[in-house]
Amino acid sequence: MSDYKTFEVEQIDKVAHVRLNRPDKANAMSEDVWREIHAIFDWADTEPSVRAVVFSANGKHFSAGIDLAMMAGLGASLGKDVGRNARLLRRKIMELQDALSAIERCSKPVLAAIQGCCYGGGIDLVAACDMRYCTEDARFCIKEVDIGMAADVGTLQRLPHIISDGLMRELAYTGRVMDSDEAGRAGLVNAVYPDHGSLVDAVLEKAQLIAAKSPIAVQGTKEMLIYTRDHSVEEGLNYVASWNAAMLQSDDLKQAIMAQMSKQTPVFDD
């Protein structure tokens, strides 16, 4: 692990706890945030001792979304030629997309713990996570329509696989705020907790539960779920058959079966 400008990263046993740390800016997502997200999740993906990741944020709000100062700086860099401006903007958008895709690409499950505002880019971020949990005061908003643009960093691509199509369209077209109660009923979050402390404690506990399982089994399951989302049932079945033709030869399977038979808790290698 490295020192980061906008994050605090701590490894607790087999769980990496990643905390966005710009509370004085409502955790707005600056240039440093986007760059460091990519680096952190590349590390978590390749570090064998990490088996699950908790993503939380310090302060009152999870994230107010993309830093407007960053947006202004990008606008100031545009010239007079439309084609060259389009080329620059497309490259930048794809860089931001890839930063959040690093969360989804991470082979370890990522659990988001959300409090206060989760707006704009914050929605893009949590949509890339495996599971989401929040506090009672959490509020969610696809804010981009209110600043004259379509969301372009993952919300419109990932959220329709999490909540219903009609609700997704309503939130994206109106930019209205969704509270924690509605988020729970809609399936955006798995559970709602009374405050930030109890939220983070509960999510870390869930992450530790996942981390105690076979990493071969958990990481293979994440791979299959993401693949299945984007492919047909037939293609998904073919892929998991090929995957397990190799992975069923792992010692993890033998250890898990022996532990079940002896009523003991298995311990798996990284």
Side-chain angles (χ1 to χ4, degrees), residues 43-87:
W43 164 77
D45 179 47
T46 57
E47 174 51 55
S49 65
V50 171
R51 298 188 187 178
V53 182
V54 171
F55 195 116
S56 70
N58 294 333
K60 185 177 179 181
H61 300 293
F62 181 80
S63 178
I66 193 166
D67 193 322
L68 294 181
M70 176 181 161
M71 293 279 285
L74 183 59
S77 69
L78 299 179
K80 295 181 179 180
D81 186 83
V82 173
R84 286 171 174 78
N85 288 343
R87 182 175 62 184

Side-chain angles (χ1 to χ4, degrees), residues 1 10 20 27 41 65 67 74 96 101 107 124 142 145 157 160 167 200 202 262:
M1 288 182 289
E10 176 185 16
L20 184 52
N27 289 312
F41 281 92
D67 193 322
L74 183 59
L96 302 184
S101 291
S107 57
D124 292 302
I142 302 173
V145 71
Q157 291 69 40
L167 178 58
V200 172
S262 62

Side-chain angles (χ1 to χ4, degrees), residues 32-218:
D32 287 332
V33 170
W34 295 94
R35 182 176 62 254
E36 291 181 348
I37 284 175
H38 206 304
I40 289 165
F41 281 92
D42 283 351
W43 164 77
D45 179 47
T46 57
E47 174 51 55
S49 65
V50 171
R51 298 188 187 178
V53 182
V54 171
F55 195 116
S56 70
N58 294 333
K60 185 177 179 181
H61 300 293
F62 181 80
S63 178
I66 193 166
D67 193 322
L68 294 181
M70 176 181 161
M71 293 279 285
L74 183 59
S77 69
L78 299 179
K80 295 181 179 180
D81 186 83
V82 173
R84 286 171 174 78
N85 288 343
R87 182 175 62 184
L88 184 153
L89 287 169
R90 185 175 188 274
R91 185 182 300 121
K92 189 62 181 181
I93 291 166
M94 294 185 75
E95 286 176 4
L96 302 184
Q97 289 175 348
D98 193 57
L100 297 191
S101 291
I103 298 174
E104 187 173 83
R105 284 195 304 266
C106 179
S107 57
K108 324 300 171 60
V110 183
L111 295 74
I114 305 154
Q115 83 281 12
C117 293
C118 181
Y119 287 4
I123 298 282
D124 292 302
L125 192 159
V126 301
C129 297
D130 291 86
M131 294 96 83
R132 290 149 294 279
Y133 305 85
C134 75
T135 55
E136 291 176 354
D137 72 348
R139 304 184 299 282
F140 302 86
C141 180
I142 302 173
K143 194 69 175 171
E144 284 83 353
V145 71
D146 286 335
I147 59 171
M149 62 176 286
D152 59 5
V153 197
T155 289
L156 302 183
Q157 291 69 40
R158 294 187 174 102
L159 211 57
H161 296 282
I162 300 170
I163 63 176
S164 72
D165 181 74
L167 178 58
M168 170 68 215
R169 290 171 186 266
E170 179 184 318
L171 295 171
Y173 295 157
T174 66
R176 75 168 177 86
V177 174
M178 180 168 62
D179 64 21
S180 61
D181 182 62
E182 185 180 6
R185 288 186 279 109
L188 177 59
V189 298
N190 291 22
V192 179
Y193 295 88
D195 54 57
H196 190 225
S198 61
L199 167 71
V200 172
D201 287 346
V203 176
L204 283 170
E205 184 177 349
K206 292 179 191 298
Q208 293 288 3
L209 179 63
I210 293 168
K213 309 295 184 183
S214 158
I216 296 293
V218 171

